[in-house]
Amino acid sequence: MHEESALAEQNGMLNIDSTDTLLETVLSHVDFGLAVFDINFKLITANECYFSLCEYDKDTIEPGVALQDLMTRSLSRKGEDPHQIEATIATTLLRLKVGGTHKFVFRTVSGKNILITRTLNAKQQLIETVREVTGLDGETSKSDQLRHVAETAHARMMHALNAMTDGFALYDADDHLVFYNQRFIDLNRHLSGFIRPGMSFEEMLRSGVVTGAYNLHGMDDEAYIHWRLQQHFNPGEPHEHETADGRWIRTIDTSADDGGTVCVQSDITKAKEHENEIARISGALDKTSDRFNEALNNMIQGLCMFDNEQKLILCNRRYLEMYGFSAEVVKPGILIADIMRYSISLGNYREEDAQAALKARHDPSRLKKRTTIKQHLRDGRVIAVMNEPMVNGGSIATYQDITAMERHEARLVAYTKKLETSNRELQDFAYVASHDLQEPLRKIEAFGDRLIRKYGDLLPDDGKMFVDRMQNAGSRMRQLINDLLGYSRITTKARPFVAVNMKETVDGVLSDLQIQIQEHDATVEVGDLPTIDADPIQMRQLFQNVLSNALKYKKPDVNPVVKISAEMVEGIDETGAPQSYAKFAIADNGIGFDNQYKDQIFKIFQRLHGRLEYEGTGIGLATCRKIVDRHSGSIDADGEPDVGSTFFIELPLRQSNAEDQD
């Protein structure tokens, strides 16, 4: 058995029987290292001598480990550069796939020289033998040294070929493949898995046609093969072909001195795409030009383009119509100054405006920066001229009739002034309401009190009734004035927005309403409330109005129960931007209301119940809506008669325009 194994090693081929027992017997009786790898170069089995000579820890290596991993382990222990290790392994695996017997001497970490022989058997299994070799000075024999040099040179050559960005293949004089690099396989993907030295070019070509690897561009199979063979057998100018997946490959075939052929291939897909794009753009240029002219002449704005010498390059129809220009006069090549003189001759400007405009046109510096001017024409139109400098020194000017916009702006200014006057008058009214109107009211109330105190006993019952009604009317008048004053001050006496803890605000309101709560034996439940950007005084006013209503409009003989809660909701503000809101809910078990009237309750002076039933001026909920509007929020209500009502108030968590709310 030992002699047969040695003979097999000498011939570079081991025939390993598939029977496990026989294989184990062979491995255990040979005096050299022996390992068997499958078709994917993964370890099937190895003997003790193999692990010993290669200095591997047998306990850490199991069947299935890749030859690539074993090589990495050996080279890494010697401290070789990781990039060099990767290149060496790639070259080795490529050579093994080609076939044949490969021998080389490897120096282990301990300093031993081992001769490694690798070959593929008939089953495409890799057989690796390892034997220790020594010389007079510990080196390999001369023949082994020469073989090692040759192997190293071949490996370097293969490494160089695999580092090429182009595909490379060498054919002998009979047009059979000698060797090739990895890039050649990458460019000819249909060959991956079965390419091997000895294949003819025609054999590889036909396999590509059969598998649909090429775009034949309408040719039949044989015609395409004939065309490619003619190019291959008659080296000369580069030729190109397209693959089925859209790649373009350029091939340069060169005759070698021994009659063979050197083939160099490169991927020119990007260059081809660029070439096609240029052709497409060139072919569509006329259509694009027509569309451009059509778009230019259908613009609602006038447009001109001038070069760096202030000469007209082009203009659209709207520009000519806007100034009443003739296309025979205003055409490419005319100077801006000459266009201006022509416009003056047509009476577009008053004399003083014409001279000022002409002077501006003679200033070349204005064309080098972005400018906007307004031209006031004699017929009353206003034209906005916007000049935009170009990189090459020229400029593009657009002309827009803004007459309507100017008039609208003038009306807006006038309206703003009226609004400011109205606001001042409102402030004056608030002052009068707080001082001048209340002064005679105080006197009416005071004299009524004196009348009752001094002459109350002398007045008949009707007289007492009249005085009582007068005092009640005065009290209602005072409340109405105060409510109106509060309503007007929502904007005139507003404070800046700050962070407001709504739980603390509601607790303060409940403290103010403590007497009413006790009188009605009411229960108020308050949940977790957030902190928002708001006017703290107006928040207190808002919730006090709503809670007062909940206590006021209670059902007879039923103790009021009020629940206050809040939740976070997402929405959009008035500009359409996303906004987070706090949605407050104030629910009660009072008399409720019919939902068909819910819009009415937020209007000023609007009431659903008579004054004799429930006190009030009809301004409280209108004030609530005005406060909510100022905070860019919303207020709504949902009621059911004899069941209760719920008021919903949505307020932004953050006020982005807080500086405008002062």
Side-chain angles (χ1 to χ4, degrees):
M1 176 67 68
H2 171 72
E3 294 177 354
E4 292 175 354
S5 300
L7 180 59
E9 178 197 2
Q10 181 178 357
N11 293 333
M13 180 71 74
L14 287 177
N15 290 319
I16 303 299
D17 191 87
S18 61
T19 304
D20 293 341
T21 302
L22 178 59
L23 181 60
E24 292 176 359
T25 302
V26 172
L27 292 177
S28 62
H29 286 79
V30 296
D31 59 353
F32 53 85
L34 178 63
V36 182
F37 297 83
D38 64 17
I39 191 171
N40 296 315
F41 299 156
K42 291 186 178 180
L43 182 65
I44 298 175
T45 186
N47 63 3
E48 293 285 346
C49 188
Y50 177 80
F51 291 109
S52 175
L53 290 175
C54 294
E55 299 181 1
Y56 292 144
D57 184 358
K58 181 180 179 182
D59 294 335
T60 64
I61 299 176
E62 297 181 353
V65 65
L67 174 63
Q68 178 179 351
D69 294 336
L70 295 176
M71 293 174 65
T72 301
R73 183 178 304 191
S74 297
L75 295 173
S76 297
R77 287 188 302 183
K78 295 183 66 176
E80 294 193 17
D81 179 68
H83 295 293
Q84 183 60 40
I85 291 175
E86 184 179 346
T88 300
I89 292 175
T91 301
T92 300
L93 295 178
L94 183 62
R95 291 173 54 207
L96 291 176
K97 290 179 181 178
V98 172
T101 300
H102 306 278
K103 294 185 178 182
F104 63 95
V105 175
F106 180 77
R107 191 175 185 86
T108 66
V109 176
S110 64
K112 293 186 298 184
N113 293 315
I114 56 176
L115 176 64
I116 299 176
T117 303
R118 293 176 178 145
T119 189
L120 293 177
N121 65 11
K123 298 180 180 180
Q124 295 299 302
Q125 295 172 322
L126 176 67
I127 310 300
E128 181 176 314
T129 61
V130 183
R131 184 186 300 277
E132 184 176 5
V133 293
T134 59
L136 296 176
D137 55 353
E139 299 294 333
T140 60
S141 63
K142 190 66 177 178
S143 61
D144 286 337
Q145 292 181 27
L146 293 176
R147 185 181 298 107
H148 178 62
V149 170
E151 293 283 349
T152 301
H154 184 267
R156 288 176 178 172
M157 182 189 70
M158 292 302 297
H159 177 67
L161 289 176
N162 284 324
M164 291 176 60
T165 58
D166 293 334
F168 178 88
L170 177 64
Y171 300 89
D172 61 19
D174 295 326
D175 202 40
H176 292 137
L177 184 65
V178 178
F179 61 82
Y180 52 90
N181 66 356
Q182 181 60 43
R183 182 59 176 160
F184 182 79
I185 300 177
D186 295 339
L187 295 177
N188 299 274
R189 297 172 185 172
H190 65 285
L191 298 175
S192 177
F194 75 92
I195 186 174
R196 66 182 186 280
M199 295 180 68
S200 68
F201 174 79
E202 183 174 354
E203 183 181 357
M204 292 188 292
L205 176 62
R206 287 187 177 278
S207 69
V209 173
V210 170
T211 57
Y214 304 117
N215 186 340
L216 306 188
H217 292 283
M219 302 172 66
D220 61 41
D221 292 357
E222 289 303 320
Y224 182 82
I225 292 172
H226 176 75
W227 170 65
R228 290 286 302 277
L229 289 175
Q230 287 294 108
Q231 292 173 321
H232 179 71
F233 292 136
N234 296 280
E237 295 296 323
H239 52 90
E240 303 167 357
H241 68 272
E242 185 182 11
T243 61
D245 57 9
R247 292 175 298 122
W248 280 90
I249 309 300
R250 174 174 290 169
T251 303
I252 301 177
D253 291 319
T254 306
S255 297
D257 294 338
D258 62 356
T261 303
V262 177
C263 173
V264 177
Q265 291 186 331
S266 56
D267 190 330
I268 61 167
T269 305
K270 289 186 177 180
K272 204 71 175 178
E273 290 174 351
H274 182 64
E275 178 183 322
N276 292 337
E277 182 66 12
I278 291 176
R280 185 189 66 79
I281 294 175
S282 177
L285 188 58
D286 290 339
K287 292 183 179 179
T288 302
S289 179
D290 291 341
R291 291 172 181 171
F292 172 75
N293 289 331
E294 183 178 355
L296 193 66
N297 287 318
N298 282 280
M299 290 177 59
I300 61 173
Q301 295 176 319
L303 182 140
C304 292
M305 183 181 293
F306 299 93
D307 63 17
N308 56 0
E309 295 180 351
Q310 301 188 39
K311 292 181 179 179
L312 181 67
I313 298 174
L314 60 86
C315 67
N316 67 352
R317 184 168 52 236
R318 177 60 179 148
Y319 171 71
L320 299 176
E321 294 172 350
M322 190 176 292
Y323 291 95
F325 292 158
S326 168
E328 297 299 321
V329 178
V330 180
K331 57 186 178 181
I334 188 173
L335 290 168
I336 290 179
D338 292 335
I339 295 176
M340 196 61 208
R341 293 189 186 95
Y342 175 52
S343 186
I344 293 172
S345 71
L346 296 177
N348 284 329
Y349 303 97
R350 294 188 296 270
E351 185 62 30
E352 59 273 17
D353 294 334
Q355 293 304 320
L358 191 58
K359 182 179 179 180
R361 290 298 186 272
H362 279 292
D363 181 10
S365 63
R366 66 179 298 277
L367 297 179
K368 297 180 181 179
K369 58 185 178 181
R370 180 181 296 175
T371 58
T372 300
I373 63 172
K374 293 180 182 179
Q375 295 179 349
H376 295 269
L377 303 187
R378 184 184 293 274
D379 60 8
R381 288 181 296 142
V382 181
I383 308 298
V385 183
M386 289 155 281
N387 180 77
E388 182 74 24
M390 294 192 300
V391 178
N392 63 357
S395 64
I396 296 177
T398 57
Y399 304 79
Q400 183 174 0
D401 189 334
I402 60 170
T403 307
M405 189 184 304
E406 288 285 296
R407 292 172 181 169
H408 176 73
E409 185 176 342
R411 288 194 296 269
L412 186 61
V413 170
Y415 176 77
T416 302
K417 290 181 179 179
K418 290 181 180 179
L419 186 60
E420 291 173 351
T421 301
S422 177
N423 286 337
R424 284 195 299 270
E425 292 174 351
L426 182 60
Q427 293 177 15
D428 293 340
F429 165 77
Y431 178 80
V432 171
S434 61
H435 294 86
D436 298 353
L437 289 181
Q438 293 201 41
E439 183 58 30
L441 185 59
R442 279 194 295 269
K443 290 184 178 181
I444 293 173
E445 291 174 334
F447 285 122
D449 291 339
R450 290 182 185 181
L451 184 62
I452 290 297
R453 284 198 306 270
K454 289 186 177 184
Y455 307 107
D457 294 338
L458 302 177
L459 290 174
D461 291 341
D462 288 346
K464 292 179 181 180
M465 180 188 66
F466 293 150
V467 174
D468 185 56
R469 287 186 178 183
M470 178 184 70
Q471 287 181 311
N472 287 338
S475 177
R476 288 197 304 273
M477 182 66 177
R478 180 180 298 280
Q479 183 62 44
L480 181 60
I481 290 174
N482 288 334
D483 286 350
L484 280 173
L485 185 60
Y487 183 81
S488 67
R489 284 179 172 175
I490 291 174
T491 52
T492 60
K493 297 296 183 181
R495 296 192 177 191
F497 293 152
V498 296
V500 178
N501 186 317
M502 295 304 298
K503 181 66 167 59
E504 295 178 358
T505 298
V506 171
D507 288 344
V509 171
L510 295 178
S511 178
D512 294 341
L513 298 175
Q514 186 63 36
I515 295 177
Q516 290 178 256
I517 294 173
Q518 291 176 350
E519 287 178 349
H520 297 301
D521 196 17
T523 301
V524 181
E525 301 175 4
V526 183
D528 293 332
L529 304 181
T531 296
I532 66 173
D533 289 345
D535 181 331
I537 293 179
Q538 291 185 355
M539 286 298 101
R540 194 164 183 138
Q541 184 179 6
L542 170 65
F543 277 82
Q544 184 157 346
N545 285 349
V546 176
L547 289 172
S548 295
N549 276 2
L551 297 173
K552 181 194 303 184
Y553 296 105
K554 73 181 192 67
K555 289 187 289 188
D557 303 324
V558 176
N559 295 334
V561 177
V562 183
K563 297 181 181 180
I564 305 172
S565 61
E567 63 175 334
M568 300 301 107
V569 296
E570 298 299 323
I572 56 174
D573 61 19
E574 62 270 13
T575 67
Q579 174 68 279
S580 298
Y581 291 86
K583 184 175 183 179
F584 300 91
I586 302 94
D588 63 57
N589 63 340
I591 63 174
F593 60 89
D594 193 328
N595 273 336
Q596 66 176 318
Y597 302 115
K598 70 176 181 177
D599 289 334
Q600 182 178 336
I601 64 177
F602 293 107
K603 295 179 180 180
I604 193 168
F605 302 129
Q606 296 295 314
R607 298 168 53 89
L608 299 184
H609 306 281
R611 217 171 20 245
L612 297 178
E613 296 179 85
Y614 298 95
E615 295 181 353
T617 61
I619 299 178
L621 290 180
T623 300
C624 290
R625 168 160 284 181
K626 193 168 184 181
I627 291 173
V628 170
D629 288 344
R630 188 208 164 208
H631 286 74
S632 301
S634 63
I635 184 170
D636 196 7
D638 182 38
E640 185 175 350
D642 297 325
V643 175
S645 59
T646 302
F647 283 80
F648 300 100
I649 302 172
E650 283 193 20
L651 297 171
L653 288 180
R654 299 292 175 265
Q655 294 286 348
S656 59
N657 59 338
E659 67 278 3
D660 299 329
Q661 301 293 336
D662 295 356

